[in-house]
Amino acid sequence: MMRCCGLLSVNKEPVPLKAIEVQVEVKDHVATVVSTLHYENKEDKAIEAVFVFPLPADAAVCHFSAKIGQTEIVADVKEKQEAREEYDDALSSGQQAFLLEESEQSPDIFSLSVGSLPPGESASIRLDYVTELAVEADGGLRFCLPVVLNPRYQPRGSEDRGVQVMSVPASQVPYSLTFAARLSSPRQVSKVDSACPLEPLQYVNKEQTQAVVQLAAGHAFDRDIELLIYYKDAHQPVVVVEAGKASAEPGTLMGDAAVMLSVYPEFSQAVMSSLATRGEFVFLLDRSGSMQGARIGSARDTLLLLLKSLPMGCYFNIYSFGSSFEHIFPKSMEYSEKTLENALKIVKEMQANLGGTEILRPLEHIYSQPCIPNQPRQLFLFTDGEVGNTKDVTSLVKKNSSTHRCFSFGIGEGASTALINGLAKEGGGHAQFIAGTDRMQAKVMQSLQFALQPAVEDISVTWDLPKGVSVTPLSPPLTAIFQGQRSLIYAQLTGQSSEETDGCVTVKYSLAGHPFQNKLAFAFHPTEDTGLTIHRLGARTLIRCLESKEPEKDEEVKKKVVNVSVQSGVSSSFTSFIAINKGSSKPIQGPLLQRRVPGIRSIMPMACCGK
């Protein structure tokens, strides 16, 4: 991996990014993030600054704008090729232009191009997104601002479709970061924990339902910024209806009301205790070079804890991979004191010495092995997620989800949220992120508990709405439900009712032959002042659902993705945000120089080197 050096680009030119400001507003389990990036060109020539940075894979990027002096330019969402052509045309005519794109291969990587920044000119770029907060094993809600972006490994023989990522030591990152979060909930904010240094939590009201927290000065850029937010009696089923955009056409996604259903299934203790503890557990451990140091140690510790916790009589095998792959048994063996002792001895000696990150080949081998009758196969994958073929890997997991559930563990800082969450979602399992030893045992035991729970079957969602109102699902059908774990469902509500009546939604499912249902009534009065958060999260969910249908091979699906993205103003792999300062048409003297900003092993925003 090439490394840039210090505070200058490889051409010894000043880095144009000066500071990043991040403001977060958390309402219950949804966060709105506003990032402002400040640039200044101190060179004597016009430059194009290019940055590559991570975002949560399920984030809905919904606003992008640039401010030069007193002039603010708000970007539009357009089809990607059209946006690129407009960007190139603007630069060639001497106009300032700004382009924001999501990676086509991995939805948690974005690139930002700041074009035609004249000598001495400053610019501020604002990027907004909304995201759901994951529920941790101890009931806390996890907000993570990705700061670390790891270089993505491209498998042998694959086309290099990803962005190039280079890095410098964290101590030499040439820009500052400030971070503050405002929390609000109908319930009391109990506490906020973080591995990053924080200023003391400050309550805004006497009920302690609103609070503010800030990152302490001097963040070292060596870890993601993670907040664990705890509310009193937080996890309750709820339905929220949000009014559509007043200026949008009725009958469209943004013009109609949108609804978000949050369900927390609870199975009776009698049912849970009667479930058989059986299964075939296949563990797949990343031993590629990027796992060296603390990561391989963390992965080993996680795997050892899982192995010691398996029920007697189940079956298991352990695979490890890099450029090649290995397995400790020719086939899955029955779990006993003897086989466990053998496995523990081998795992303790495992090192990150197998080269590149080739996940597809061991997965294909595992899927080709016959399943053991009456022993449902559970796949546990441990990786830092440094791959460039994320969509290929998650597609393979999806194709085999009827016979294999997948539980994924992101190891270390900067683990790809697109890969880790995508594996669990497409594999009907659950995702965990382990950056250190904190909360490891709780996370491991939660995933094992979920894996021992039989797959929930016959899941259905039915809506009872006022006359004249119809529902269009935005979320794919639920395929996995776990004890006490939140499930979110989005839908579009079309039409209006003259009656003053409530709506109702019922989620039914069965576990080991026992029927269950969650029934929620809700007032059909849309909330007006919400910033269209639910609409954007619903649009993002629909876009991801459509993208999973391989729109590259189906032009109609691709058109629908573009249409939803443009209409909602939410990014997709086929669209880009484009902003052009049409009042800045001064001819550029000489060639436009490109500057790619260095970050840590890698960070937000990230980069490469100048031309």
Side-chain angles (χ1 to χ4, degrees):
M1 179 180 65
M2 294 180 61
R3 288 188 177 274
C4 297
C5 51
L7 305 182
L8 304 176
S9 71
V10 291
N11 285 347
K12 300 182 185 290
E13 302 293 350
V15 170
L17 179 60
K18 298 304 173 186
I20 307 169
E21 298 176 11
V22 180
Q23 297 287 332
V24 182
E25 184 171 1
V26 177
K27 291 184 176 179
D28 259 359
H29 59 262
V30 173
T32 300
V33 182
V34 178
S35 297
T36 306
L37 295 81
H38 299 285
Y39 308 113
E40 182 181 0
N41 179 13
K42 290 188 175 181
E43 301 188 46
D44 57 3
K45 297 177 182 177
I47 62 170
E48 177 188 20
V50 181
F51 306 86
V52 180
F53 56 95
L55 289 180
D58 56 357
V61 179
C62 53
H63 175 87
F64 175 57
S65 60
K67 189 172 184 180
I68 304 96
Q70 298 303 309
T71 304
E72 183 178 17
I73 313 120
V74 178
D76 295 319
V77 178
K78 297 188 177 183
E79 190 275 328
K80 183 167 283 187
Q81 188 57 40
E82 178 186 354
R84 287 175 175 174
E85 290 174 359
E86 286 192 17
Y87 178 79
D88 290 341
D89 290 345
L91 294 193
S92 63
S93 63
Q95 294 176 321
Q96 292 170 329
F98 307 86
L99 184 70
L100 179 70
E101 295 188 330
E102 175 185 316
S103 168
E104 294 179 10
Q105 184 58 213
S106 189
D108 62 343
I109 298 180
F110 281 73
S111 62
L112 168 62
S113 299
V114 179
S116 188
L117 198 58
E121 186 79 82
S122 298
S124 295
I125 307 299
R126 173 175 163 172
L127 170 67
D128 297 10
Y129 66 85
V130 292
T131 186
E132 304 155 357
L133 305 188
V135 182
E136 293 286 279
D138 62 357
L141 292 172
R142 178 180 184 262
F143 168 81
C144 183
L145 177 73
V147 172
V148 178
L149 171 59
N150 299 313
R152 301 299 168 87
Y153 175 80
Q154 291 290 341
R156 289 169 296 182
S158 68
E159 180 186 352
D160 185 6
R161 294 166 290 182
V163 291
Q164 189 181 17
V165 177
M166 299 182 185
S167 58
V168 298
S171 60
Q172 298 181 15
V173 172
Y175 34 92
S176 62
L177 170 67
T178 57
F179 173 92
R182 184 182 182 93
L183 319 173
S184 63
S185 170
R187 294 164 289 277
Q188 179 184 339
V189 181
S190 300
K191 63 176 180 176
V192 176
D193 287 342
S194 178
C196 298
L198 300 176
E199 299 290 347
L201 182 69
Q202 295 184 349
Y203 289 104
V204 176
N205 60 356
K206 63 180 181 180
E207 295 82 12
Q208 297 187 343
T209 58
Q210 297 180 29
V212 175
V213 66
Q214 297 183 68
L215 184 69
H219 181 66
F221 282 113
D222 59 353
R223 63 178 59 212
D224 294 338
I225 298 174
E226 180 186 68
L227 301 182
L228 293 170
I229 303 163
Y230 297 86
Y231 300 127
K232 186 177 180 180
D233 302 323
H235 306 309
Q236 305 294 328
V238 66
V239 180
V240 180
V241 182
E242 179 180 79
K245 190 176 182 179
S247 60
E249 187 75 21
T252 64
L253 172 58
M254 300 306 288
D256 286 343
V259 60
M260 178 178 69
L261 166 64
S262 177
V263 181
Y264 291 88
E266 294 289 345
F267 307 121
S268 67
Q269 187 59 41
V271 170
M272 293 300 292
S273 61
S274 69
L275 300 179
T277 53
R278 64 173 191 264
E280 178 191 4
F281 296 85
V282 179
F283 302 100
L284 183 56
L285 177 66
D286 186 348
R287 290 173 57 193
S288 62
S290 63
M291 291 285 290
Q292 289 179 2
R295 294 185 186 189
I296 191 65
S298 180
R300 275 197 312 261
D301 291 345
T302 307
L303 177 52
L304 290 170
L305 182 56
L306 272 167
L307 287 172
K308 294 174 183 177
S309 306
L310 292 177
M312 287 293 177
C314 71
Y315 288 77
F316 78 108
N317 201 354
I318 301 169
Y319 287 72
S320 57
F321 68 94
S323 299
S324 58
F325 67 90
E326 303 172 357
H327 43 80
I328 68 170
F329 303 127
K331 63 178 182 179
S332 292
M333 302 292 288
E334 186 172 354
Y335 183 80
S336 64
E337 289 186 10
K338 183 178 180 180
T339 55
L340 172 61
E341 182 181 356
N342 187 18
L344 293 178
K345 188 180 302 183
I346 295 172
V347 171
K348 288 176 182 177
E349 299 299 320
M350 287 183 173
Q351 299 296 325
N353 56 2
L354 292 184
T357 314
E358 299 272 3
I359 297 181
L360 277 176
R361 291 177 62 209
L363 279 177
E364 289 168 345
H365 177 82
I366 291 168
Y367 291 142
S368 71
Q369 303 304 299
C371 293
I372 301 172
N374 300 316
Q375 299 285 348
R377 183 175 287 173
Q378 320 290 337
L379 175 63
F380 284 71
L381 176 62
F382 310 86
T383 180
D384 56 8
E386 296 190 7
V387 301
N389 60 338
T390 299
K391 289 187 178 179
D392 297 334
V393 175
T394 54
S395 293
L396 179 63
V397 169
K398 182 179 181 179
K399 288 176 183 176
N400 292 276
S401 60
S402 61
T403 54
H404 299 66
R405 283 196 294 185
C406 184
F407 296 83
S408 52
F409 290 80
I411 304 295
E413 298 292 342
S416 167
T417 57
L419 180 69
I420 304 306
N421 288 331
L423 288 169
K425 181 179 179 180
E426 300 297 358
H430 187 257
Q432 303 276 17
F433 290 86
I434 297 178
T437 57
D438 294 347
R439 310 186 311 281
M440 179 190 293
Q441 184 168 4
K443 291 171 181 282
V444 167
M445 298 313 296
Q446 182 188 49
S447 289
L448 182 58
Q449 179 188 23
F450 289 166
L452 289 170
Q453 175 189 303
V456 171
E457 299 176 324
D458 305 322
I459 304 173
S460 67
V461 180
T462 55
W463 299 82
D464 183 10
L465 300 172
K467 186 177 180 180
V469 179
S470 61
V471 63
T472 302
L474 301 175
S475 302
L478 281 177
T479 57
I481 290 179
F482 295 108
Q483 164 77 7
Q485 185 65 19
R486 183 191 65 210
S487 296
L488 290 172
I489 299 170
Y490 297 94
Q492 174 183 344
L493 301 179
T494 303
Q496 294 182 339
S497 173
S498 57
E499 305 173 8
E500 290 292 329
T501 183
D502 293 342
C504 182
V505 59
T506 305
V507 182
K508 295 182 178 180
Y509 42 90
S510 63
L511 177 67
H514 298 271
F516 293 89
Q517 74 172 30
N518 293 101
K519 191 172 184 178
L520 287 172
F522 58 94
F524 196 74
H525 299 296
T527 303
E528 299 286 347
D529 186 21
T530 60
L532 297 171
T533 301
I534 293 174
H535 281 76
R536 285 164 174 159
L537 288 172
R540 184 58 158 171
T541 301
L542 177 58
I543 287 169
R544 287 286 174 255
C545 183
L546 292 169
E547 287 176 337
S548 70
K549 298 178 180 179
E550 298 185 320
E552 301 88 348
K553 302 175 183 177
D554 189 330
E555 195 62 31
E556 287 304 311
V557 175
K558 181 178 178 179
K559 285 181 180 178
K560 189 166 184 180
V561 170
V562 172
N563 180 56
V564 173
S565 178
V566 171
Q567 180 193 149
S568 63
V570 171
S571 65
S572 77
S573 59
F574 297 109
T575 53
S576 303
F577 282 91
I578 175 72
I580 299 174
N581 184 5
K582 296 182 178 178
S584 62
S585 54
K586 297 179 182 179
I588 297 174
Q589 301 298 319
L592 185 65
L593 302 178
Q594 190 178 76
R595 296 284 176 256
R596 296 182 181 268
V597 178
I600 68 165
R601 181 177 187 267
S602 296
I603 98 152
M604 164 197 176
M606 196 35 247
C608 315
C609 48
K611 288 182 178 178

